[in-house]
Amino acid sequence: MRRLLFWSIGIVLVATIVVTIGGSFYMLDFSLSPNPDRKDTELSFRQQFEKYPETRPWVDSLRLADALRDTFITMPNGERHHALYVRNGGNKTALVIHGWRNSSINFLHLARLYEKELGYSVVIPDVHAHGLSEGDMIQMGWLDSKDMMEWIKIFQTDTMVVHGVSMGGATTMMMSAMEYPEGIKDIRFVDDCGYTSVWDEFSGELKNQFNLPEFPLLYTTSILCKLCYGWSFSEASAINEVKHSTYPMLFIHGGSDTFVPTEMVHRLYKSKPSNKELWITDGANHDESYLKYKDEYINKVKAFVTK
């Protein structure tokens, strides 16, 4: 009887370990696999023009003036990364960072805001494993923040703004505690619906999509991510970085956001010690603040970067 009990417990334990490991690989692939259509630029332009039709004539005018350019650089790890560069001239540049499984093209509407409304040149990188940039798995902003610094160094001007949405918002906040070249006299940050940490975001989605608790799957998947890609879900924390940020930051978040819950931005705002503003857009879901409040969004960003 004891031997039977021992073997039963052993079989259950082994089965649990196998299922957990298998579930961890599935969750990692589900969360970090790139968009299979990421290099389809025609599709991305079509999506952008359908959602934000005002960008089409602006993009056409840029192309006529040879002011919209594809730019490629080699990152320190040897990867070739791509960005769209909108040339305006002068000493003001905005770095616009897109969200999860998006691309630079999907955020041309924000580039238009900075170029047309504020006279900035704009750099919109395709982050690692997105768009035309190399990479096998998504990094959720953590290692991307270091890649973005390479674009900052290349396109450095006197005045700069870093503006990110969703995963790009988290990347922006992760960058906000970094040191910047002395030649940059004024740098500001705009976070639109970024998450507090990768752990928090995945924990919420694990519950919302699969009705599962954090333990054990989130723990084992985080360990697997660390082993495979060099970073864990807990260390990829925007909220830990904004605690040390002294630069001006505007937080924007949809009041009805459930994908990155609105409560996250209140914690982020509270964690930043100073130089901060908060704007909650009533009734807006995830990444809908610009779409639903276009004029107010433009005016809010204008006021923030020019004050």
Side-chain angles (χ1 to χ4, degrees), residues 34-71:
N35 184 343
D37 297 323
R38 69 182 196 173
K39 295 184 179 181
D40 190 341
T41 56
E42 290 186 8
L43 174 62
S44 295
F45 271 114
R46 188 162 63 249
Q47 291 171 339
Q48 168 67 196
F49 295 153
E50 288 174 357
K51 192 172 184 180
Y52 306 100
E54 70 275 11
T55 60
R56 182 188 289 273
W58 175 73
V59 166
D60 290 342
S61 67
L62 290 176
R63 285 171 169 164
L64 285 173
D66 192 28
L68 178 63
R69 300 177 180 177
D70 290 295
T71 304

Side-chain angles (χ1 to χ4, degrees), residues 196-214:
T196 50
S197 69
V198 174
W199 183 279
D200 290 347
E201 180 61 19
F202 284 176
S203 174
E205 287 304 294
L206 194 61
K207 180 175 178 60
N208 292 339
Q209 295 198 43
F210 303 102
N211 198 28
L212 291 173
E214 291 182 352

Side-chain angles (χ1 to χ4, degrees), residues 6-290:
F6 174 80
W7 278 106
S8 298
I9 293 173
I11 290 170
V12 170
L13 182 61
V14 170
T16 301
I17 292 172
V18 169
V19 169
T20 301
I21 292 174
S24 299
F25 275 101
Y26 174 81
M27 181 179 173
L28 200 64
D29 183 71
F30 179 84
S31 305
L32 305 184
S33 289
N35 184 343
D37 297 323
R38 69 182 196 173
K39 295 184 179 181
D40 190 341
T41 56
E42 290 186 8
L43 174 62
S44 295
F45 271 114
R46 188 162 63 249
Q47 291 171 339
Q48 168 67 196
F49 295 153
E50 288 174 357
K51 192 172 184 180
Y52 306 100
E54 70 275 11
T55 60
R56 182 188 289 273
W58 175 73
V59 166
D60 290 342
S61 67
L62 290 176
R63 285 171 169 164
L64 285 173
D66 192 28
L68 178 63
R69 300 177 180 177
D70 290 295
T71 304
F72 291 87
I73 65 171
T74 301
M75 290 293 172
N77 64 359
E79 289 181 352
R80 192 167 184 253
H81 282 206
H82 168 264
L84 288 175
Y85 176 57
V86 181
R87 177 175 52 83
N88 186 283
N91 279 318
K92 299 187 295 184
T93 302
L95 182 76
V96 173
I97 309 175
H98 65 73
W100 182 73
R101 288 184 175 170
N102 293 137
S103 72
S104 54
I105 297 169
N106 297 124
F107 282 80
L108 279 166
H109 56 286
L110 292 184
R112 178 181 177 273
L113 186 164
Y114 282 98
E115 193 278 333
K116 185 176 178 62
E117 302 290 341
L118 291 163
Y120 279 61
S121 295
V122 188
V123 184
I124 327 172
D126 285 330
V127 303
H128 172 94
H130 290 77
L132 300 180
S133 291
E134 293 180 343
D136 297 326
M137 297 296 273
I138 296 170
Q139 300 177 144
M140 298 304 296
W142 183 236
L143 301 183
D144 300 318
S145 61
K146 298 174 178 61
D147 290 341
M148 294 303 104
M149 287 298 293
E150 298 301 315
W151 292 106
I152 289 275
K153 293 173 187 176
I154 292 170
F155 290 97
Q156 171 186 331
T157 51
D158 290 348
T159 300
M160 300 198 75
V161 176
V162 181
H163 188 142
V165 180
S166 192
M167 186 183 80
T171 310
T172 296
M173 290 184 284
M174 291 168 185
M175 295 174 66
S176 71
M178 294 179 173
E179 293 185 7
Y180 287 84
E182 292 182 0
I184 302 176
K185 298 174 182 177
D186 186 345
I187 186 164
R188 302 175 186 224
F189 297 83
V190 180
D191 155 51
D192 185 339
C193 64
Y195 39 78
T196 50
S197 69
V198 174
W199 183 279
D200 290 347
E201 180 61 19
F202 284 176
S203 174
E205 287 304 294
L206 194 61
K207 180 175 178 60
N208 292 339
Q209 295 198 43
F210 303 102
N211 198 28
L212 291 173
E214 291 182 352
F215 185 83
L217 194 56
L218 196 61
Y219 289 83
T220 54
T221 308
S222 181
I223 293 170
L224 183 62
C225 187
K226 183 73 172 181
L227 291 172
C228 293
Y229 305 116
W231 61 277
S232 68
F233 298 165
S234 56
E235 70 182 290
S237 172
I239 198 166
N240 285 345
E241 299 306 309
V242 298
K243 290 176 182 177
H244 307 291
S245 173
T246 59
Y247 298 110
M249 182 174 293
L250 170 62
F251 296 90
I252 302 171
H253 215 103
S256 298
D257 194 343
T258 56
F259 186 67
V260 177
T262 309
E263 62 86 15
M264 284 191 180
V265 77
H266 292 290
R267 286 195 280 142
L268 289 160
Y269 180 78
K270 184 178 180 180
S271 294
K272 192 176 187 313
S274 61
N275 283 341
K276 56 187 179 180
E277 296 180 28
L278 174 63
W279 180 38
I280 305 295
T281 52
D282 186 43
N285 294 315
H286 188 64
D287 186 20
E288 284 190 346
S289 294
Y290 180 87

